[in-house]
Amino acid sequence: MIPPVIPGLNFMAKTRLLTQFKNRLKRSLLSHRTKPSHRSNNKGFTLLELLVVMAISSGIIAGLMYIVVELMSTDQRESSRSETQREMQMALDYMSTELREAVFVYTADNLSCAGPTGPGAPACSPLTAYLPPSVSTNSVPILAFWKQQPFPSNVPAASARGQCFGNAPPAGISCLTGNSYALIVYSLSKANTNNIWSSNARITRYSLTEFNSKGDLNTGYVNPGAYNGNPFASWPVFEDDKDGVLKNIQ
């Protein structure tokens, strides 16, 4: 059985539903309008925030740059150290190779007093007294020896090379190999004219050969092979053939 329809109640229900729908729509519109304004208030950063971020970023970048600079400096120091060690090893290899060719090596006593002593002999003086001032000034000889030095390719035929084919070849010259004696002196030098060298000391090499690169005789060269006895230790003080007195031949 269908219940009877009451006109007043039906109208009141419709009115209530319509009122609720309006209220919901109104609240929805109000909430929709307030959200954009709320978002707009939160957009961007304040000046204080920007300053804080810039300070933090600057600290991080400065720290990274310091690390990079330290790494580059360390790498440069290691490279310089490795290059220095390589050059020192090359110098030591060169010195040891040359020392193997020595025929006479001066001892500490020879370096401090190279000349002979005795009646008629000159006063004992160090080896540096017979070397050029550029070698002995602000320098200390640490290694000195004699070795065989080949003739330069352009030695004139009228010099010692030409005499090798004569009846009286010069003493101390190997005519078969074309060699003569050469004095080699390694010194620890502190001379630093015009501040060319960065370090306090360096090792220098001096050689006294019979001939220069042009094939001419070097001034001051005295051939120890031309004298008897122990000519290397007493060089260049030998006995004069005329009066038999020891003299500085150089």
Side-chain angles (χ1 to χ4, degrees):
M1 181 175 181
I2 301 173
V5 178
I6 302 175
L9 293 175
N10 190 14
F11 176 76
M12 291 176 62
K14 291 181 178 179
T15 303
R16 187 178 298 173
L17 291 174
L18 183 59
T19 302
Q20 293 178 357
F21 177 76
K22 288 181 179 180
N23 292 334
R24 289 181 180 178
L25 181 61
K26 186 176 181 179
R27 286 196 298 268
S28 176
L29 291 174
L30 289 175
S31 63
H32 181 71
R33 290 177 181 178
T34 55
K35 285 182 179 179
S37 61
H38 179 70
R39 291 178 181 176
S40 62
N41 293 333
N42 292 334
K43 286 183 178 180
F45 301 95
T46 63
L47 181 59
L48 181 60
E49 292 173 341
L50 290 176
L51 292 176
V52 172
V53 172
M54 290 177 62
I56 296 174
S57 302
S58 300
I60 295 174
I61 294 174
L64 293 176
M65 289 297 296
Y66 176 78
I67 294 174
V68 171
V69 171
E70 283 296 319
L71 289 176
M72 293 178 63
S73 300
T74 302
D75 182 70
Q76 185 177 6
R77 287 194 298 268
E78 291 297 327
S79 299
S80 300
R81 185 178 303 161
S82 300
E83 183 66 19
T84 302
Q85 292 177 352
R86 187 185 69 85
E87 293 178 353
M88 291 176 62
Q89 187 62 44
M90 291 176 60
L92 292 175
D93 292 342
Y94 181 85
M95 292 172 62
S96 61
T97 301
E98 193 171 37
L99 187 59
R100 294 190 186 99
E101 303 174 0
V103 296
F104 178 84
V105 180
Y106 285 99
T107 63
D109 294 335
N110 296 136
L111 292 177
S112 60
C113 185
T117 58
C124 185
S125 57
L127 178 65
T128 53
Y130 309 119
L131 300 177
S134 59
V135 180
S136 57
T137 304
N138 293 329
S139 299
V140 177
I142 56 177
L143 179 62
F145 55 91
W146 289 87
K147 72 168 190 175
Q148 290 285 332
Q149 180 76 22
F151 290 158
S153 57
N154 54 351
V155 172
S159 63
R161 173 174 289 183
Q163 298 177 21
C164 286
F165 302 98
N167 296 327
I173 295 178
S174 177
C175 295
L176 296 179
T177 59
N179 295 333
S180 61
Y181 292 114
L183 174 63
I184 308 297
V185 180
Y186 285 96
S187 304
L188 182 64
S189 175
K190 293 185 177 181
N192 192 8
T193 307
N194 299 326
N195 295 324
I196 298 177
W197 306 99
S198 59
S199 302
N200 295 328
R202 58 193 176 93
I203 295 178
T204 60
R205 179 184 182 274
Y206 167 77
S207 62
L208 178 60
T209 59
E210 185 173 9
F211 303 98
N212 57 22
S213 58
K214 298 180 180 180
D216 300 328
L217 289 172
N218 280 322
T219 303
Y221 178 84
V222 176
N223 182 17
Y227 300 90
N228 299 323
N230 191 5
F232 298 103
S234 60
W235 182 91
V237 180
F238 302 109
E239 182 178 347
D240 194 352
D241 296 335
K242 295 181 181 180
D243 50 14
V245 179
L246 292 176
K247 293 182 179 180
N248 183 0
I249 307 301
Q250 187 183 24

